[in-house]
Structures are given as C-alpha cells and as structure tokens.
C-alpha cells in the first residue's frame, strides 16, 4: 500500500516556526499550556498543505476552525483575564487564513466567528470585573482591525485569483491559436504539394494518353486483320488491349486528381446521399458479409452539397472500408449527427469499420497523393476525397476505433467528415463554385 507522504517543509514554514519559537520564549515562559498551544499552531501550519490534499473540499474549513480553537485556547493561558491577554493578535492567524481560502462572504463569516470566540471571554471577565467606559471603544477597535485585515488580504487574494484565471484563459487561447495555426500551415503545405503534383500529373497523363490510344488502336486493328488465323497473336493482342484499358483508367484517375474541381452546391439532406453510396458499394461487393449499422440523428440540418461529388467521396471511403474488412467481412457503422467544430455548425459523418485500422505513422499522411495501405493501387483515392471535402469547405480526418484519440481498442479505422451548414458558407450555394487545386 502506498503511504501518503508529508510535504517537505519550505522556508516560509521555517519562518513560521521561528516566530512561534520567539513567542514561546516570551512571558509567560513557565506556562506549559501556552507552549503546547503554540506547538499545536506550528504543527497545523506545517501540515496545512497535507490536510488540504487529503480533504480538498472541507480541509480549508477544518484548518480555520482548528486555528480559531487554538487561538482561543492560547489567550486563556496568557493572562489572568483572557480578554486582556496581550496575545489577542493571535486571532489574525485564523482570520488571514480564512481570507486566503474563501471569498469575501466566507471571510466575513469566519472573521465574525473568530471575533465571537475572542469576545466570549467577556462573560467570565464580567463575573469578576466591571467593564469601564473606555474599554468598549478599545474592544471595538480590536474587532474592527480583525475585519480590516481580513478584507485587505481577501481583496488581494481575490484579485490574484482573477489574474491567474485570466492568464490561464489567455494561455489556453494562445495554445488553441497555435494549434489552429499549425493545422492551417499543414493544410497550406499539403495544398501546395497537391497543386504541384496536380500540374505534374496533368502533364504526364496527357503525354501518356496519346501513346496509349495509338497502342490500343493498333492492337485492335491487328486483331481484326488476324481474324483467328493466328490464335497466339490474337491472344497477345487481347492482352495488349486489356492492359491499355487498365492504364487508361489509371490515367483517368490522375486527370481527376489534377483537374480543377467544380462544385455545384445546393442545400441537401445528407442521409439520402449516404444511402446511395452504401447501396452502390454493397451491390458490387464480392467479399465477406458486411453488416451496416446506421445511426442517423433526426431532423439533421441541410448542408451545401455537390450531390455527385459528395457521393463519389462517400463511395471511395466506404469502398476502402469494405476492402479493409476483406473476405472475413465485418461491421460498418455509419453515423450522421449535428456537430460544431471551430465555431462552425454543421453535420458530422463518421464511417467506422472493423478492419485492421490505419497505422499511426500513416495517419497524418493518408490524404497525401500516392500514400496507400493497399497492396495494389496508386494512393490517389483519398487525395481526391480530401479535395472534394475542401471544395465543400469541410474537413476530414482519420482515427482508429476506440477512444477517438488515435489509440485503437478494437481495431478498425474511423473517417470523420464535417460539412458546415449553409449559414456557415457562402449564401450563393446554388451557384457553381470553382476551387483551384
């Protein structure tokens, strides 16, 4: 069992003990009760932090109450009549302590209790003596000084707390601003890379497409001229034509990635678009059985969407989820709910599969061109998806299933897509919008 360690004594506690030792050396010196009471006050002061750590909610009240009791006990053993004890300033200790831990009203309450404890010695004194006229103002002065000291200290403490809170809020705001700045810089660098790669891909694709057309046309003409006279040559010509078609499809993907994106936005319900993408992928899937779990929030707000492009983005991500689950199949959770990100209201779509997930080292690069976890493919699909989401003024990120912080608990990847509502984008959402990549 781990034992609670007592805090180390700092130099302020040492000063406390020195001052209390000085009081112990002053008259009355032979009064053992006085010495024990001062020792108890020193112990309480030194162990104050420990008590607050053990009892955080009520510890401050216990400390002030104990100090009031010890102060009351001390003046009872330092004078023939407690109310006349020269040690009455000891009540400043609980009063100032209360001012440190409580607000203005709490400070007034504890100061009133300390004053009442001090004034309680009036009753036994009046049993033997008669209170003179000059004594009333003197007693009032002492009590008022208790309150003055308490409020001065409390005002300082409250202001210090207010300044500390302001600094904390400023630090949090600065940290959030830095985080957004880093994110914006990362997105800007990614956009620059995409733009450069897009221009390069467009040039290469056009240069490659022309020779491919010549090769495919030549293979088809050769196949027609042979007319079955040479089966081997006809078979080879067929291979050429098939591979040319595959290369042509690859070139088309490069062109899709490279060309400027035109988004024709209209306010739409996102659920039907999701459903069409789910049915399109499921109709062509030939792997293991996949169960779709739908979690759609009711009365979702309409968002500005390019129906075809957004469906293409969903199809790409859903197809990746199916491919990740493979022949064993699995479960795909589809969630659509209202959300608020970076001060913008919108709809958040989460597509979560039970596949192997995305490796941590690829999570920040998965939307870059030519980055893929598949054994086949060129890694342009998610780049095009990211480009489409950017055209909708939205955002996309990937995280592993589990706690949402990037640590997988049950495996699988979760793509989180955010579409801002119409009020957060251009009011002219029905007009075509051009996004230059």
């Amino acid at each position: 069992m781990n034992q609670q360690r007592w805090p180390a004594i700092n130099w302020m506690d040492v000063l406390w003990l020195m001052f209390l030792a000085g009081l112990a050396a002053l008259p009355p010196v032979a009064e053992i009760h006085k010495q024990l009471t001062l020792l108890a006050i020193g112990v309480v002061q030194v162990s104050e932090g420990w008590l607050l750590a053990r009892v955080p909610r009520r510890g401050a009240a216990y400390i002030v109450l104990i100090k009031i009791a010890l102060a009351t006990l001390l003046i009872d053993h330092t004078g023939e009549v407690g109310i006349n004890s020269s040690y009455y300033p000891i009540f400043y200790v609980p009063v100032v302590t209360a001012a440190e831990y409580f607000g203005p009203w709490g400070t007034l309450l504890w100061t009133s209790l300390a004053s009442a404890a001090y004034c309680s010695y009036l009753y036994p004194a009046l049993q033997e003596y008669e209170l003179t006229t000059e004594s009333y103002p003197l007693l009032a002065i002492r009590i008022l000084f208790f309150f003055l000291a308490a409020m001065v200290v409390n005002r300082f403490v409250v202001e210090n707390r207010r300044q500390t809170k302001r600094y904390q809020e400023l630090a949090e705001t600065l940290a959030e601003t830095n985080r957004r700045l880093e994110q914006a810089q990362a997105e800007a660098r990614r956009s620059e890379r995409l733009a450069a790669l897009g221009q390069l891909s467009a040039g290469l694709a056009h240069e490659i497409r022309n020779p491919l057309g010549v090769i495919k046309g030549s293979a088809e003409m050769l196949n027609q001229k042979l007319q079955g006279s040479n089966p081997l040559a006809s078979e080879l010509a067929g291979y050429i034509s098939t591979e040319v078609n595959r290369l042509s499809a690859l070139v088309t993907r490069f062109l899709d990635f490279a060309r400027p994106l035109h988004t024709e936005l209209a306010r739409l319900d996102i659920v039907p678009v999701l459903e069409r993408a789910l049915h399109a992928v499921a109709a062509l899937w030939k792997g293991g059985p996949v169960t779709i779990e739908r979690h759609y929030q009711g009365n979702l707000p309409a968002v500005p969407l390019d129906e075809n492009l957004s469906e293409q983005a969903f199809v790409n991500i859903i197809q990746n989820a199916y491919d990740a689950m493979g022949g064993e199949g699995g479960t795909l959770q589809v969630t659509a709910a209202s959300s608020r990100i970076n001060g913008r209201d919108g709809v958040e779509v989460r597509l979560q599969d039970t596949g192997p997930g995305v490796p941590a080292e690829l999570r920040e690069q998965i939307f870059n061109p030519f980055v893929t976890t598949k054994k086949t493919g060129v890694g342009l699909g998610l780049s095009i998806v990211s480009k489409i989401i950017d055209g909708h003024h939205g955002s996309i990120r990937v995280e592993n299933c589990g706690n949402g912080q990037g640590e997988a608990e049950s495996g699988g990847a979760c793509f989180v897509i955010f579409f801002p509502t119409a009020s957060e984008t251009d009011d002219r959402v029905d007009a075509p919008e051009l996004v230059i990549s």
Side-chain angles (χ1 to χ4, degrees):
M1 179 182 294
N2 294 330
Q3 295 182 349
Q4 184 77 26
R5 290 187 176 182
W6 285 61
I9 298 178
N10 57 38
W11 67 273
M12 291 292 292
D13 291 332
V14 173
L15 286 178
W16 257 96
L17 296 177
M18 290 175 60
F19 293 146
L20 290 175
L23 288 175
L26 294 174
V29 179
E31 175 57 63
I32 186 62
H33 298 92
K34 168 203 166 184
Q35 313 298 353
L36 291 176
T37 304
L38 290 173
L39 177 62
I41 293 174
V43 171
V44 171
Q45 184 63 36
V46 172
S47 60
E48 191 171 304
W50 175 83
L51 182 59
L52 288 174
R54 294 293 298 269
V55 191
R57 294 185 60 184
R58 300 180 181 178
Y62 292 155
I63 290 170
V64 177
L65 195 60
I66 293 172
K67 288 183 177 180
I68 290 176
L70 291 174
T72 306
L73 184 62
L74 180 65
I75 68 170
D76 187 41
H77 294 283
T78 53
E80 294 183 3
V81 181
I83 198 71
N84 286 334
S85 172
S86 57
Y87 282 75
Y88 78 90
I90 194 66
F91 278 101
Y92 284 113
V93 174
V95 165
V96 171
T97 302
E100 291 177 355
Y101 292 124
F102 297 93
W105 290 108
T107 300
L108 289 174
L109 177 63
W110 284 110
T111 305
S112 299
L113 181 59
S115 301
Y118 175 61
C119 292
S120 65
Y121 284 100
L122 274 176
Y123 179 76
L126 291 176
Q127 301 301 316
E128 300 181 15
Y129 304 97
E130 183 178 350
L131 193 64
T132 63
T133 306
E134 294 81 5
S135 298
Y136 286 105
L138 181 60
L139 181 61
I141 289 172
R142 292 182 178 182
I143 299 301
L144 289 176
F145 270 114
F146 289 160
F147 282 93
L148 284 175
M151 297 316 296
V152 167
V153 174
N154 185 253
R155 180 178 180 181
F156 172 78
V157 171
V158 169
E159 184 62 27
N160 186 58
R161 291 173 184 166
R162 185 181 296 112
Q163 292 295 334
T164 301
K165 184 178 180 181
R166 285 182 56 192
Y167 292 147
Q168 290 176 345
E169 293 174 351
L170 183 61
E172 292 173 359
T173 303
L174 183 60
E176 178 65 17
T177 302
N178 288 336
R179 188 190 65 79
R180 292 184 182 181
L181 180 60
E182 291 176 357
Q183 183 179 2
Q185 290 175 341
E187 292 177 355
R189 288 193 296 268
R190 184 164 63 90
S191 298
E192 292 175 358
R193 290 196 299 269
L194 290 178
L197 287 171
Q199 294 174 358
L200 176 62
S201 300
L204 288 175
H206 284 296
E207 292 297 326
I208 293 173
R209 175 165 282 185
N210 292 332
L212 285 179
V214 174
I215 294 172
K216 182 177 180 180
S218 300
E220 291 176 350
M221 291 178 60
L222 179 62
N223 198 18
Q224 291 176 1
K225 287 187 175 292
L226 291 174
Q227 292 291 333
S229 62
N230 190 336
L232 178 60
S234 297
E235 183 179 1
L236 293 176
Y239 288 153
I240 293 174
S241 181
T242 299
E243 292 304 312
V244 165
N245 288 335
R246 190 170 70 86
L247 287 175
S248 180
L250 182 60
V251 170
T252 299
R253 291 182 67 84
F254 272 95
L255 287 176
D256 290 338
F257 166 72
R259 68 167 57 99
L261 178 68
H262 296 269
T263 57
E264 298 182 0
L265 302 179
R267 295 179 180 87
L268 298 173
D269 183 1
I270 202 169
V271 172
V273 181
L274 267 172
E275 286 296 317
R276 286 198 299 272
L278 288 168
H279 289 305
V281 176
L284 300 176
W285 177 243
K286 297 181 181 180
V290 175
T291 302
I292 306 296
E293 295 183 357
R294 297 170 171 84
H295 305 280
Y296 299 148
Q297 178 183 319
N299 300 321
L300 282 173
V303 293
L305 292 177
D306 183 302
E307 192 169 4
N308 294 328
L309 289 176
S310 58
E311 182 177 345
Q312 177 187 345
F314 288 142
V315 166
N316 200 315
I317 296 175
I318 294 169
Q319 184 64 59
N320 284 347
Y322 273 70
D323 292 340
M325 291 183 283
E328 297 181 359
T331 301
L332 177 63
Q333 289 188 8
V334 184
T335 305
S338 299
S339 181
R340 184 175 180 84
I341 297 179
N342 294 334
R344 298 191 299 168
D345 293 320
V347 175
E348 184 180 85
V349 177
R350 301 178 71 91
L351 298 166
Q352 180 173 316
D353 62 60
T354 55
V358 180
E361 62 273 12
L362 292 181
R363 229 167 283 155
E364 296 296 329
Q365 307 173 15
I366 195 68
F367 299 107
N368 291 339
F370 315 118
V371 176
T372 181
T373 58
K374 297 180 181 179
K375 294 181 180 179
T376 58
V378 294
L380 287 177
L382 289 179
S383 297
I384 296 174
V385 169
S386 177
K387 188 176 178 181
I388 292 173
I389 302 303
D390 289 341
H392 286 78
H393 308 287
S395 63
I396 182 171
R397 70 180 190 275
V398 63
E399 57 191 34
N400 274 10
C401 302
N403 56 19
Q405 301 298 325
E407 295 298 331
E409 291 182 357
S410 57
C414 179
F415 283 84
V416 184
I417 311 167
F418 176 76
F419 294 93
T421 55
S423 60
E424 300 293 337
T425 59
D426 187 3
D427 292 335
R428 299 171 56 194
V429 294
D430 295 325
E433 189 170 329
L434 174 63
V435 177
I436 305 297
S437 63

